[in-house]
């Protein structure tokens, strides 16, 4: 009883923190509109042209989508060849992951109301600002029930303008079977978000962190009815300290070469009693199959 009372007290203390709502992307949508014409003229872009500005100020990108991997470590594309960096209007703003030569999965809040012509994906590089290849997006397919209820069905698939050629640094990751349970293990999350709470600059090098899956019933103590069956949580529930947040949104949560989750949202970053919430891919696996054939 003492332990339960302590948990409830801590929940009351952190309840004043607002959700970092992953659904509000108006700044990015406006930027996408402005960038669409420029992007169309930029068809011949390659890794030697128009490299991203180093250490982009978060205010120059979209604050709503600027999150972090907290308590992680440097990684590489050789370890995670499915990881991609999404670029909008010259700035890294979300992650995604390759599921076939033609398709990339990301979070719906990253691309909702965004023109495909405004998006570029950097594949095959440990760095978010150079190397690898820049590829174009032909179409954006957002889950039709995204945000109903709020935060739910936070998933989208991007069809690429041209198929990828796989190599050691560019490769698809497997997906779980429909309704396959999320294992209660440590999942690996990757991305290029901030590495410290309150930081202002995003790293050049891919980071990764291992986050333990939180049982659904326990995560309900933190997020209540906002946590649906299409979601699961990951992080150190009581102490925080290791986390991804929505700036790494769209990136995968992986166990044994299978992507079980998509980074979606959280209350704060690496806070106690506020684990990261992931879209449960297995719950939406049939939707992915229907829209990609995979």
């Amino acid at each position: 009883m003492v332990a339960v009372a302590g948990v409830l007290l801590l929940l009351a203390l952190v309840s004043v923190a607002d959700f970092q709502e992953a659904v509000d992307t108006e700044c990015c949508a406006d930027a996408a509109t402005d960038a669409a014409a420029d992007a169309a003229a930029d068809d011949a872009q390659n890794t030697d042209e128009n490299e991203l500005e180093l250490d982009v100020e978060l205010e120059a990108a979209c604050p709503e989508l600027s999150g972090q991997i907290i308590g992680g470590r440097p990684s590489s594309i050789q370890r995670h060849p499915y990881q991609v960096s999404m670029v909008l209007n010259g700035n890294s703003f979300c992650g995604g992951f390759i599921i076939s030569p033609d398709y990339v999965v990301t979070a719906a809040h990253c691309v909702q109301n965004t023109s495909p012509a405004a998006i570029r994906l950097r594949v095959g590089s440990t760095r978010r600002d150079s190397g690898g290849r820049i590829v174009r997006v032909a179409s954006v397919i957002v889950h039709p029930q995204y945000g109903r209820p709020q935060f739910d069905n936070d998933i989208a698939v991007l069809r690429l303008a041209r198929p990828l050629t796989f190599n050691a640094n560019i490769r698809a990751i497997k997906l779980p079977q429909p309704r396959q349970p999320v294992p209660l293990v440590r999942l690996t999350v990757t991305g290029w978000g901030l590495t410290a709470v309150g930081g202002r600059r995003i790293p050049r090098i891919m980071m990764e962190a291992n986050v333990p899956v939180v049982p659904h019933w326990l995560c309900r103590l933190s997020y209540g009815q906002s946590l649906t069956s299409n979601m699961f949580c990951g992080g150190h529930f009581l102490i925080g300290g290791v986390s991804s947040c929505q700036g790494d949104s769209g990136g995968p949560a992986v166990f044994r070469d299978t992507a079980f989750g998509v980074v979606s949202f959280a209350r704060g970053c690496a806070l106690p009693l506020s684990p990261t919430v992931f879209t449960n891919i297995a719950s939406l696996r049939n939707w992915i199959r229907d829209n990609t054939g995979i």
Side-chain angles (χ1 to χ4, degrees):
M1 291 298 295
V2 173
V4 173
V7 168
L8 294 177
L9 175 60
L10 285 172
L11 282 172
L13 290 175
V14 302
S15 65
V16 297
D18 293 330
F19 282 111
Q20 295 185 344
E21 291 189 324
V23 295
D24 182 7
T25 58
E26 291 182 0
C27 72
C28 284
D30 293 341
T33 301
D34 296 338
D38 294 338
D42 194 29
D43 189 41
Q45 182 182 17
N46 57 43
T47 58
D48 296 323
E49 298 175 329
N50 300 322
E51 294 292 357
L52 300 180
E53 179 186 354
L54 300 182
D55 287 336
V56 176
E57 290 282 350
L58 290 183
E59 288 78 8
C62 291
E64 291 86 352
L65 301 181
S66 297
Q68 50 268 315
I69 284 181
I70 306 296
R73 58 192 179 277
S75 189
S76 71
I77 197 66
Q78 289 79 22
R79 287 175 53 84
H80 308 287
Y82 45 80
Q83 177 78 42
V84 308
S85 173
M86 299 178 63
V87 183
L88 177 68
N89 203 24
N91 291 305
S92 301
F93 72 103
C94 266
F97 52 99
I98 301 165
I99 61 170
S100 82
D102 296 295
Y103 287 97
V104 164
V105 169
T106 188
H109 75 258
C110 289
V111 294
Q112 187 183 39
N113 303 321
T114 301
S115 166
I119 302 172
R120 293 290 186 269
L121 305 178
R122 187 180 297 278
V123 302
S125 180
T126 297
R127 298 172 66 97
R128 62 164 174 82
D129 54 8
S130 64
R133 290 182 51 205
I134 295 292
V135 298
R136 297 174 57 226
V137 173
S139 64
V140 175
I141 307 170
V142 173
H143 195 288
Q145 298 301 313
Y146 166 58
R148 292 181 278 176
Q150 192 175 30
F151 309 115
D152 202 19
N153 302 298
D154 190 8
I155 195 168
V157 292
L158 311 179
R159 183 170 62 85
L160 306 182
R162 294 181 181 178
L164 296 171
T165 299
F166 287 170
N167 56 43
N169 295 338
I170 303 174
R171 194 180 310 152
I173 192 166
K174 295 185 296 185
L175 300 179
Q177 295 300 312
R179 299 296 172 183
Q180 181 178 342
V182 178
L184 293 177
V185 295
R186 290 178 181 268
L187 303 180
T188 301
V189 294
T190 46
W192 289 269
L194 292 171
T195 56
V197 177
R200 293 171 57 84
R201 294 177 183 272
I202 55 180
R204 299 180 178 95
I205 302 299
M206 181 191 302
M207 303 293 289
E208 69 172 80
N210 294 329
V211 296
V213 173
V214 176
H216 205 270
W217 67 266
L218 183 58
C219 199
R220 272 285 182 95
L221 294 177
S222 181
Y223 292 111
Q225 295 302 312
S226 295
L227 194 74
T228 74
S229 61
N230 296 321
M231 306 171 185
F232 69 89
C233 299
H236 295 286
F237 186 77
L238 290 178
I239 63 175
V242 178
S243 174
S244 67
C245 272
Q246 68 233 46
D248 288 309
S249 289
V254 175
F255 178 66
R256 292 184 177 174
D257 299 318
T258 298
F260 282 91
V262 183
V263 179
S264 183
F265 71 94
R267 182 195 292 114
C269 293
L271 295 177
L273 307 181
S274 301
T276 298
V277 179
F278 299 89
T279 302
N280 188 336
I281 293 175
S283 293
L284 303 175
R285 185 66 178 84
N286 289 334
W287 179 83
I288 296 175
R289 181 200 59 202
D290 293 344
N291 285 276
T292 65
I294 299 168

